[in-house]
PDB file of all heavy atoms in Angstrom:
ATOM      1  N   GLU A 442     142.402 -97.505 -21.812  1.00 89.00           N
ATOM      2  CA  GLU A 442     142.809 -96.769 -20.614  1.00 89.00           C
ATOM      3  C   GLU A 442     142.923 -97.711 -19.430  1.00 89.00           C
ATOM      4  O   GLU A 442     142.019 -98.512 -19.173  1.00 89.00           O
ATOM      5  CB  GLU A 442     141.803 -95.661 -20.322  1.00 89.00           C
ATOM      6  CG  GLU A 442     142.265 -94.702 -19.234  1.00 89.00           C
ATOM      7  CD  GLU A 442     141.340 -93.505 -19.100  1.00 89.00           C
ATOM      8  OE1 GLU A 442     140.472 -93.334 -19.965  1.00 89.00           O
ATOM      9  OE2 GLU A 442     141.499 -92.766 -18.124  1.00 89.00           O
ATOM     10  N   GLY A 443     144.049 -97.614 -18.736  1.00 91.00           N
ATOM     11  CA  GLY A 443     144.251 -98.446 -17.560  1.00 91.00           C
ATOM     12  C   GLY A 443     144.850 -99.806 -17.848  1.00 91.00           C
ATOM     13  O   GLY A 443     145.110-100.579 -16.921  1.00 91.00           O
ATOM     14  N   LYS A 444     145.078-100.090 -19.122  1.00 94.00           N
ATOM     15  CA  LYS A 444     145.656-101.380 -19.497  1.00 94.00           C
ATOM     16  C   LYS A 444     146.907-101.151 -20.335  1.00 94.00           C
ATOM     17  O   LYS A 444     147.063-100.110 -20.957  1.00 94.00           O
ATOM     18  CB  LYS A 444     144.646-102.210 -20.293  1.00 94.00           C
ATOM     19  CG  LYS A 444     143.419-102.622 -19.500  1.00 94.00           C
ATOM     20  CD  LYS A 444     142.536-103.555 -20.321  1.00 94.00           C
ATOM     21  CE  LYS A 444     141.338-104.004 -19.520  1.00 94.00           C
ATOM     22  NZ  LYS A 444     140.463-104.921 -20.293  1.00 94.00           N
ATOM     23  N   PRO A 445     147.798-102.129 -20.364  1.00 95.00           N
ATOM     24  CA  PRO A 445     149.011-101.958 -21.177  1.00 95.00           C
ATOM     25  C   PRO A 445     148.680-101.995 -22.670  1.00 95.00           C
ATOM     26  O   PRO A 445     147.692-102.607 -23.081  1.00 95.00           O
ATOM     27  CB  PRO A 445     149.888-103.173 -20.802  1.00 95.00           C
ATOM     28  CG  PRO A 445     149.100-104.028 -19.911  1.00 95.00           C
ATOM     29  CD  PRO A 445     147.801-103.389 -19.617  1.00 95.00           C
ATOM     30  N   ARG A 446     149.527-101.346 -23.447  1.00 96.00           N
ATOM     31  CA  ARG A 446     149.372-101.377 -24.895  1.00 96.00           C
ATOM     32  C   ARG A 446     149.615-102.809 -25.377  1.00 96.00           C
ATOM     33  O   ARG A 446     150.526-103.487 -24.910  1.00 96.00           O
ATOM     34  CB  ARG A 446     150.388-100.430 -25.524  1.00 96.00           C
ATOM     35  CG  ARG A 446     150.171-100.150 -26.968  1.00 96.00           C
ATOM     36  CD  ARG A 446     150.892 -98.916 -27.478  1.00 96.00           C
ATOM     37  NE  ARG A 446     151.802 -98.268 -26.575  1.00 96.00           N
ATOM     38  CZ  ARG A 446     151.949 -96.941 -26.510  1.00 96.00           C
ATOM     39  NH1 ARG A 446     151.218 -96.162 -27.295  1.00 96.00           N
ATOM     40  NH2 ARG A 446     152.830 -96.416 -25.679  1.00 96.00           N
ATOM     41  N   GLU A 447     148.810-103.265 -26.331  1.00 97.00           N
ATOM     42  CA  GLU A 447     148.944-104.630 -26.832  1.00 97.00           C
ATOM     43  C   GLU A 447     149.070-104.630 -28.349  1.00 97.00           C
ATOM     44  O   GLU A 447     148.530-103.771 -29.043  1.00 97.00           O
ATOM     45  CB  GLU A 447     147.722-105.478 -26.441  1.00 97.00           C
ATOM     46  CG  GLU A 447     146.410-105.005 -27.019  1.00 97.00           C
ATOM     47  CD  GLU A 447     145.251-105.944 -26.706  1.00 97.00           C
ATOM     48  OE1 GLU A 447     145.449-106.971 -26.047  1.00 97.00           O
ATOM     49  OE2 GLU A 447     144.125-105.639 -27.152  1.00 97.00           O
ATOM     50  N   LEU A 448     149.784-105.638 -28.843  1.00 98.00           N
ATOM     51  CA  LEU A 448     149.927-105.814 -30.281  1.00 98.00           C
ATOM     52  C   LEU A 448     148.649-106.422 -30.837  1.00 98.00           C
ATOM     53  O   LEU A 448     148.138-107.417 -30.324  1.00 98.00           O
ATOM     54  CB  LEU A 448     151.107-106.730 -30.584  1.00 98.00           C
ATOM     55  CG  LEU A 448     151.350-107.055 -32.055  1.00 98.00           C
ATOM     56  CD1 LEU A 448     151.826-105.813 -32.810  1.00 98.00           C
ATOM     57  CD2 LEU A 448     152.352-108.189 -32.184  1.00 98.00           C
ATOM     58  N   VAL A 449     148.137-105.825 -31.892  1.00 98.00           N
ATOM     59  CA  VAL A 449     146.919-106.312 -32.525  1.00 98.00           C
ATOM     60  C   VAL A 449     147.235-107.080 -33.800  1.00 98.00           C
ATOM     61  O   VAL A 449     146.643-108.128 -34.079  1.00 98.00           O
ATOM     62  CB  VAL A 449     145.981-105.136 -32.841  1.00 98.00           C
ATOM     63  CG1 VAL A 449     144.768-105.615 -33.624  1.00 98.00           C
ATOM     64  CG2 VAL A 449     145.545-104.445 -31.558  1.00 98.00           C
ATOM     65  N   ALA A 450     148.162-106.548 -34.592  1.00 98.00           N
ATOM     66  CA  ALA A 450     148.481-107.160 -35.878  1.00 98.00           C
ATOM     67  C   ALA A 450     149.877-106.737 -36.299  1.00 98.00           C
ATOM     68  O   ALA A 450     150.349-105.668 -35.901  1.00 98.00           O
ATOM     69  CB  ALA A 450     147.476-106.732 -36.942  1.00 98.00           C
ATOM     70  N   SER A 451     150.518-107.582 -37.090  1.00 98.00           N
ATOM     71  CA  SER A 451     151.848-107.246 -37.603  1.00 98.00           C
ATOM     72  C   SER A 451     151.970-107.684 -39.050  1.00 98.00           C
ATOM     73  O   SER A 451     151.283-108.612 -39.498  1.00 98.00           O
ATOM     74  CB  SER A 451     152.941-107.894 -36.755  1.00 98.00           C
ATOM     75  OG  SER A 451     152.851-109.296 -36.809  1.00 98.00           O
ATOM     76  N   VAL A 452     152.855-107.013 -39.776  1.00 98.00           N
ATOM     77  CA  VAL A 452     153.109-107.350 -41.175  1.00 98.00           C
ATOM     78  C   VAL A 452     154.614-107.280 -41.403  1.00 98.00           C
ATOM     79  O   VAL A 452     155.253-106.282 -41.080  1.00 98.00           O
ATOM     80  CB  VAL A 452     152.314-106.426 -42.126  1.00 98.00           C
ATOM     81  CG1 VAL A 452     152.582-104.958 -41.870  1.00 98.00           C
ATOM     82  CG2 VAL A 452     152.579-106.779 -43.579  1.00 98.00           C
ATOM     83  N   THR A 453     155.164-108.361 -41.931  1.00 98.00           N
ATOM     84  CA  THR A 453     156.609-108.431 -42.140  1.00 98.00           C
ATOM     85  C   THR A 453     157.013-107.682 -43.414  1.00 98.00           C
ATOM     86  O   THR A 453     156.165-107.168 -44.151  1.00 98.00           O
ATOM     87  CB  THR A 453     157.078-109.886 -42.249  1.00 98.00           C
ATOM     88  OG1 THR A 453     156.527-110.458 -43.455  1.00 98.00           O
ATOM     89  CG2 THR A 453     156.634-110.710 -41.056  1.00 98.00           C
ATOM     90  N   THR A 454     158.308-107.665 -43.675  1.00 96.00           N
ATOM     91  CA  THR A 454     158.815-106.954 -44.853  1.00 96.00           C
ATOM     92  C   THR A 454     158.322-107.584 -46.154  1.00 96.00           C
ATOM     93  O   THR A 454     158.213-106.889 -47.163  1.00 96.00           O
ATOM     94  CB  THR A 454     160.345-106.924 -44.851  1.00 96.00           C
ATOM     95  OG1 THR A 454     160.839-108.271 -44.741  1.00 96.00           O
ATOM     96  CG2 THR A 454     160.882-106.105 -43.679  1.00 96.00           C
ATOM     97  N   ASP A 455     157.998-108.886 -46.116  1.00 94.00           N
ATOM     98  CA  ASP A 455     157.449-109.520 -47.321  1.00 94.00           C
ATOM     99  C   ASP A 455     155.941-109.714 -47.215  1.00 94.00           C
ATOM    100  O   ASP A 455     155.368-110.579 -47.869  1.00 94.00           O
ATOM    101  CB  ASP A 455     158.163-110.847 -47.615  1.00 94.00           C
ATOM    102  CG  ASP A 455     158.072-111.831 -46.464  1.00 94.00           C
ATOM    103  OD1 ASP A 455     157.511-111.459 -45.418  1.00 94.00           O
ATOM    104  OD2 ASP A 455     158.562-112.967 -46.625  1.00 94.00           O
ATOM    105  N   SER A 456     155.324-108.903 -46.363  1.00 94.00           N
ATOM    106  CA  SER A 456     153.859-108.816 -46.229  1.00 94.00           C
ATOM    107  C   SER A 456     153.193-110.050 -45.630  1.00 94.00           C
ATOM    108  O   SER A 456     151.993-110.254 -45.817  1.00 94.00           O
ATOM    109  CB  SER A 456     153.216-108.448 -47.570  1.00 94.00           C
ATOM    110  OG  SER A 456     153.568-107.117 -47.917  1.00 94.00           O
ATOM    111  N   ALA A 457     153.948-110.883 -44.919  1.00 97.00           N
ATOM    112  CA  ALA A 457     153.306-111.936 -44.127  1.00 97.00           C
ATOM    113  C   ALA A 457     152.648-111.274 -42.916  1.00 97.00           C
ATOM    114  O   ALA A 457     153.241-110.374 -42.307  1.00 97.00           O
ATOM    115  CB  ALA A 457     154.338-112.953 -43.683  1.00 97.00           C
ATOM    116  N   THR A 458     151.448-111.708 -42.599  1.00 97.00           N
ATOM    117  CA  THR A 458     150.697-111.043 -41.539  1.00 97.00           C
ATOM    118  C   THR A 458     150.332-111.989 -40.409  1.00 97.00           C
ATOM    119  O   THR A 458     150.205-113.209 -40.592  1.00 97.00           O
ATOM    120  CB  THR A 458     149.414-110.411 -42.087  1.00 97.00           C
ATOM    121  OG1 THR A 458     148.566-111.440 -42.617  1.00 97.00           O
ATOM    122  CG2 THR A 458     149.721-109.408 -43.176  1.00 97.00           C
ATOM    123  N   ARG A 459     150.178-111.408 -39.241  1.00 97.00           N
ATOM    124  CA  ARG A 459     149.668-112.110 -38.081  1.00 97.00           C
ATOM    125  C   ARG A 459     148.737-111.157 -37.355  1.00 97.00           C
ATOM    126  O   ARG A 459     148.976-109.950 -37.302  1.00 97.00           O
ATOM    127  CB  ARG A 459     150.789-112.548 -37.147  1.00 97.00           C
ATOM    128  CG  ARG A 459     151.752-113.555 -37.741  1.00 97.00           C
ATOM    129  CD  ARG A 459     152.744-114.043 -36.720  1.00 97.00           C
ATOM    130  NE  ARG A 459     152.117-114.877 -35.697  1.00 97.00           N
ATOM    131  CZ  ARG A 459     152.772-115.467 -34.711  1.00 97.00           C
ATOM    132  NH1 ARG A 459     154.086-115.289 -34.597  1.00 97.00           N
ATOM    133  NH2 ARG A 459     152.164-116.204 -33.829  1.00 97.00           N
ATOM    134  N   VAL A 460     147.666-111.722 -36.796  1.00 97.00           N
ATOM    135  CA  VAL A 460     146.740-110.908 -36.018  1.00 97.00           C
ATOM    136  C   VAL A 460     146.435-111.600 -34.704  1.00 97.00           C
ATOM    137  O   VAL A 460     146.506-112.821 -34.585  1.00 97.00           O
ATOM    138  CB  VAL A 460     145.431-110.626 -36.789  1.00 97.00           C
ATOM    139  CG1 VAL A 460     145.692-109.811 -38.033  1.00 97.00           C
ATOM    140  CG2 VAL A 460     144.705-111.917 -37.122  1.00 97.00           C
ATOM    141  N   LYS A 461     146.047-110.793 -33.738  1.00 97.00           N
ATOM    142  CA  LYS A 461     145.651-111.296 -32.423  1.00 97.00           C
ATOM    143  C   LYS A 461     144.422-112.188 -32.598  1.00 97.00           C
ATOM    144  O   LYS A 461     143.554-111.906 -33.435  1.00 97.00           O
ATOM    145  CB  LYS A 461     145.332-110.083 -31.546  1.00 97.00           C
ATOM    146  CG  LYS A 461     144.915-110.339 -30.129  1.00 97.00           C
ATOM    147  CD  LYS A 461     144.670-109.010 -29.425  1.00 97.00           C
ATOM    148  CE  LYS A 461     144.064-109.223 -28.064  1.00 97.00           C
ATOM    149  NZ  LYS A 461     144.971-109.924 -27.150  1.00 97.00           N
ATOM    150  N   ASP A 462     144.336-113.244 -31.801  1.00 97.00           N
ATOM    151  CA  ASP A 462     143.243-114.203 -31.947  1.00 97.00           C
ATOM    152  C   ASP A 462     141.871-113.540 -31.886  1.00 97.00           C
ATOM    153  O   ASP A 462     140.967-113.897 -32.641  1.00 97.00           O
ATOM    154  CB  ASP A 462     143.334-115.270 -30.845  1.00 97.00           C
ATOM    155  CG  ASP A 462     144.399-116.309 -31.139  1.00 97.00           C
ATOM    156  OD1 ASP A 462     144.924-116.330 -32.271  1.00 97.00           O
ATOM    157  OD2 ASP A 462     144.723-117.101 -30.234  1.00 97.00           O
ATOM    158  N   SER A 463     141.713-112.565 -31.023  1.00 96.00           N
ATOM    159  CA  SER A 463     140.391-111.962 -30.820  1.00 96.00           C
ATOM    160  C   SER A 463     139.936-111.128 -32.015  1.00 96.00           C
ATOM    161  O   SER A 463     138.764-110.746 -32.080  1.00 96.00           O
ATOM    162  CB  SER A 463     140.385-111.102 -29.552  1.00 96.00           C
ATOM    163  OG  SER A 463     141.329-110.048 -29.661  1.00 96.00           O
ATOM    164  N   VAL A 464     140.830-110.844 -32.945  1.00 97.00           N
ATOM    165  CA  VAL A 464     140.445-110.044 -34.117  1.00 97.00           C
ATOM    166  C   VAL A 464     140.598-110.831 -35.414  1.00 97.00           C
ATOM    167  O   VAL A 464     140.386-110.275 -36.503  1.00 97.00           O
ATOM    168  CB  VAL A 464     141.242-108.716 -34.191  1.00 97.00           C
ATOM    169  CG1 VAL A 464     141.102-107.937 -32.898  1.00 97.00           C
ATOM    170  CG2 VAL A 464     142.709-108.967 -34.521  1.00 97.00           C
ATOM    171  N   LYS A 465     140.921-112.101 -35.321  1.00 98.00           N
ATOM    172  CA  LYS A 465     141.068-112.918 -36.530  1.00 98.00           C
ATOM    173  C   LYS A 465     139.776-112.943 -37.311  1.00 98.00           C
ATOM    174  O   LYS A 465     138.693-113.091 -36.744  1.00 98.00           O
ATOM    175  CB  LYS A 465     141.489-114.341 -36.160  1.00 98.00           C
ATOM    176  CG  LYS A 465     142.978-114.505 -35.991  1.00 98.00           C
ATOM    177  CD  LYS A 465     143.359-115.944 -35.715  1.00 98.00           C
ATOM    178  CE  LYS A 465     144.867-116.064 -35.554  1.00 98.00           C
ATOM    179  NZ  LYS A 465     145.293-117.435 -35.192  1.00 98.00           N
ATOM    180  N   GLY A 466     139.914-112.780 -38.623  1.00 97.00           N
ATOM    181  CA  GLY A 466     138.746-112.775 -39.488  1.00 97.00           C
ATOM    182  C   GLY A 466     138.058-111.422 -39.553  1.00 97.00           C
ATOM    183  O   GLY A 466     137.149-111.222 -40.355  1.00 97.00           O
ATOM    184  N   ARG A 467     138.489-110.488 -38.701  1.00 98.00           N
ATOM    185  CA  ARG A 467     137.863-109.157 -38.690  1.00 98.00           C
ATOM    186  C   ARG A 467     138.860-108.052 -39.036  1.00 98.00           C
ATOM    187  O   ARG A 467     138.485-107.055 -39.641  1.00 98.00           O
ATOM    188  CB  ARG A 467     137.253-108.873 -37.318  1.00 98.00           C
ATOM    189  CG  ARG A 467     136.207-109.879 -36.890  1.00 98.00           C
ATOM    190  CD  ARG A 467     135.475-109.436 -35.628  1.00 98.00           C
ATOM    191  NE  ARG A 467     136.350-109.317 -34.477  1.00 98.00           N
ATOM    192  CZ  ARG A 467     136.566-108.162 -33.838  1.00 98.00           C
ATOM    193  NH1 ARG A 467     135.985-107.053 -34.226  1.00 98.00           N
ATOM    194  NH2 ARG A 467     137.364-108.138 -32.767  1.00 98.00           N
ATOM    195  N   PHE A 468     140.106-108.210 -38.657  1.00 98.00           N
ATOM    196  CA  PHE A 468     141.127-107.195 -38.912  1.00 98.00           C
ATOM    197  C   PHE A 468     142.121-107.709 -39.952  1.00 98.00           C
ATOM    198  O   PHE A 468     142.539-108.869 -39.900  1.00 98.00           O
ATOM    199  CB  PHE A 468     141.906-106.863 -37.634  1.00 98.00           C
ATOM    200  CG  PHE A 468     141.145-106.077 -36.607  1.00 98.00           C
ATOM    201  CD1 PHE A 468     139.760-105.936 -36.651  1.00 98.00           C
ATOM    202  CD2 PHE A 468     141.829-105.461 -35.558  1.00 98.00           C
ATOM    203  CE1 PHE A 468     139.070-105.211 -35.690  1.00 98.00           C
ATOM    204  CE2 PHE A 468     141.153-104.731 -34.583  1.00 98.00           C
ATOM    205  CZ  PHE A 468     139.772-104.614 -34.646  1.00 98.00           C
ATOM    206  N   THR A 469     142.508-106.822 -40.855  1.00 98.00           N
ATOM    207  CA  THR A 469     143.508-107.149 -41.866  1.00 98.00           C
ATOM    208  C   THR A 469     144.557-106.040 -41.909  1.00 98.00           C
ATOM    209  O   THR A 469     144.204-104.863 -42.054  1.00 98.00           O
ATOM    210  CB  THR A 469     142.855-107.292 -43.251  1.00 98.00           C
ATOM    211  OG1 THR A 469     141.818-108.274 -43.196  1.00 98.00           O
ATOM    212  CG2 THR A 469     143.891-107.709 -44.292  1.00 98.00           C
ATOM    213  N   VAL A 470     145.805-106.425 -41.797  1.00 98.00           N
ATOM    214  CA  VAL A 470     146.904-105.456 -41.837  1.00 98.00           C
ATOM    215  C   VAL A 470     147.589-105.550 -43.188  1.00 98.00           C
ATOM    216  O   VAL A 470     147.730-106.641 -43.758  1.00 98.00           O
ATOM    217  CB  VAL A 470     147.901-105.697 -40.677  1.00 98.00           C
ATOM    218  CG1 VAL A 470     148.470-107.107 -40.696  1.00 98.00           C
ATOM    219  CG2 VAL A 470     148.981-104.634 -40.656  1.00 98.00           C
ATOM    220  N   SER A 471     147.997-104.403 -43.700  1.00 98.00           N
ATOM    221  CA  SER A 471     148.710-104.367 -44.975  1.00 98.00           C
ATOM    222  C   SER A 471     149.685-103.200 -44.980  1.00 98.00           C
ATOM    223  O   SER A 471     149.648-102.341 -44.087  1.00 98.00           O
ATOM    224  CB  SER A 471     147.727-104.252 -46.142  1.00 98.00           C
ATOM    225  OG  SER A 471     146.979-103.060 -46.057  1.00 98.00           O
ATOM    226  N   ARG A 472     150.534-103.176 -45.975  1.00 98.00           N
ATOM    227  CA  ARG A 472     151.533-102.105 -46.071  1.00 98.00           C
ATOM    228  C   ARG A 472     151.737-101.708 -47.521  1.00 98.00           C
ATOM    229  O   ARG A 472     151.506-102.497 -48.434  1.00 98.00           O
ATOM    230  CB  ARG A 472     152.861-102.553 -45.452  1.00 98.00           C
ATOM    231  CG  ARG A 472     153.553-103.678 -46.195  1.00 98.00           C
ATOM    232  CD  ARG A 472     154.709-104.252 -45.364  1.00 98.00           C
ATOM    233  NE  ARG A 472     155.727-103.245 -45.081  1.00 98.00           N
ATOM    234  CZ  ARG A 472     156.589-103.334 -44.062  1.00 98.00           C
ATOM    235  NH1 ARG A 472     156.551-104.369 -43.239  1.00 98.00           N
ATOM    236  NH2 ARG A 472     157.512-102.387 -43.889  1.00 98.00           N
ATOM    237  N   ASP A 473     152.194-100.469 -47.706  1.00 97.00           N
ATOM    238  CA  ASP A 473     152.569 -99.979 -49.021  1.00 97.00           C
ATOM    239  C   ASP A 473     153.923 -99.294 -48.839  1.00 97.00           C
ATOM    240  O   ASP A 473     153.981 -98.142 -48.403  1.00 97.00           O
ATOM    241  CB  ASP A 473     151.521 -99.002 -49.550  1.00 97.00           C
ATOM    242  CG  ASP A 473     151.812 -98.542 -50.971  1.00 97.00           C
ATOM    243  OD1 ASP A 473     152.992 -98.549 -51.381  1.00 97.00           O
ATOM    244  OD2 ASP A 473     150.871 -98.155 -51.676  1.00 97.00           O
ATOM    245  N   ASN A 474     154.974-100.013 -49.145  1.00 96.00           N
ATOM    246  CA  ASN A 474     156.311 -99.473 -48.906  1.00 96.00           C
ATOM    247  C   ASN A 474     156.613 -98.268 -49.800  1.00 96.00           C
ATOM    248  O   ASN A 474     157.361 -97.371 -49.412  1.00 96.00           O
ATOM    249  CB  ASN A 474     157.370-100.555 -49.112  1.00 96.00           C
ATOM    250  CG  ASN A 474     157.347-101.602 -48.023  1.00 96.00           C
ATOM    251  OD1 ASN A 474     156.915-101.341 -46.892  1.00 96.00           O
ATOM    252  ND2 ASN A 474     157.795-102.804 -48.341  1.00 96.00           N
ATOM    253  N   ASP A 475     156.035 -98.256 -50.987  1.00 97.00           N
ATOM    254  CA  ASP A 475     156.275 -97.116 -51.879  1.00 97.00           C
ATOM    255  C   ASP A 475     155.741 -95.824 -51.268  1.00 97.00           C
ATOM    256  O   ASP A 475     156.311 -94.742 -51.465  1.00 97.00           O
ATOM    257  CB  ASP A 475     155.632 -97.359 -53.234  1.00 97.00           C
ATOM    258  CG  ASP A 475     156.352 -98.442 -54.021  1.00 97.00           C
ATOM    259  OD1 ASP A 475     157.541 -98.702 -53.728  1.00 97.00           O
ATOM    260  OD2 ASP A 475     155.724 -99.038 -54.926  1.00 97.00           O
ATOM    261  N   LYS A 476     154.625 -95.940 -50.555  1.00 97.00           N
ATOM    262  CA  LYS A 476     154.016 -94.771 -49.923  1.00 97.00           C
ATOM    263  C   LYS A 476     154.441 -94.612 -48.465  1.00 97.00           C
ATOM    264  O   LYS A 476     154.048 -93.646 -47.809  1.00 97.00           O
ATOM    265  CB  LYS A 476     152.492 -94.873 -49.999  1.00 97.00           C
ATOM    266  CG  LYS A 476     151.948 -94.827 -51.424  1.00 97.00           C
ATOM    267  CD  LYS A 476     150.428 -94.874 -51.430  1.00 97.00           C
ATOM    268  CE  LYS A 476     149.885 -94.797 -52.852  1.00 97.00           C
ATOM    269  NZ  LYS A 476     148.399 -94.875 -52.881  1.00 97.00           N
ATOM    270  N   ASN A 477     155.214 -95.562 -47.979  1.00 98.00           N
ATOM    271  CA  ASN A 477     155.642 -95.551 -46.565  1.00 98.00           C
ATOM    272  C   ASN A 477     154.442 -95.547 -45.621  1.00 98.00           C
ATOM    273  O   ASN A 477     154.400 -94.808 -44.642  1.00 98.00           O
ATOM    274  CB  ASN A 477     156.528 -94.339 -46.275  1.00 98.00           C
ATOM    275  CG  ASN A 477     157.841 -94.733 -45.599  1.00 98.00           C
ATOM    276  OD1 ASN A 477     158.329 -95.850 -45.761  1.00 98.00           O
ATOM    277  ND2 ASN A 477     158.411 -93.822 -44.839  1.00 98.00           N
TER     278      ASN A 477
END
């Protein structure tokens, strides 16, 4: 609240991932395209 929305993590179409420095080692992003 009171701050702009920020990107925390992203996952590309071939499941390459990137995370914000402050959450590295703690957050993991993944996807399941079959389940959308």
Side-chain angles (χ1 to χ4, degrees):
E442 190 172 350
K444 295 186 178 180
R446 192 162 7 217
E447 63 175 0
L448 178 69
V449 174
S451 63
V452 55
T453 67
T454 55
D455 58 357
S456 292
T458 62
R459 296 186 69 178
V460 296
K461 181 179 172 65
D462 282 349
S463 61
V464 306
K465 275 184 180 176
R467 301 189 297 117
F468 288 15
T469 304
V470 57
S471 61
R472 66 192 299 158
D473 184 334
N474 289 334
D475 290 338
K476 295 182 179 179
N477 232 26

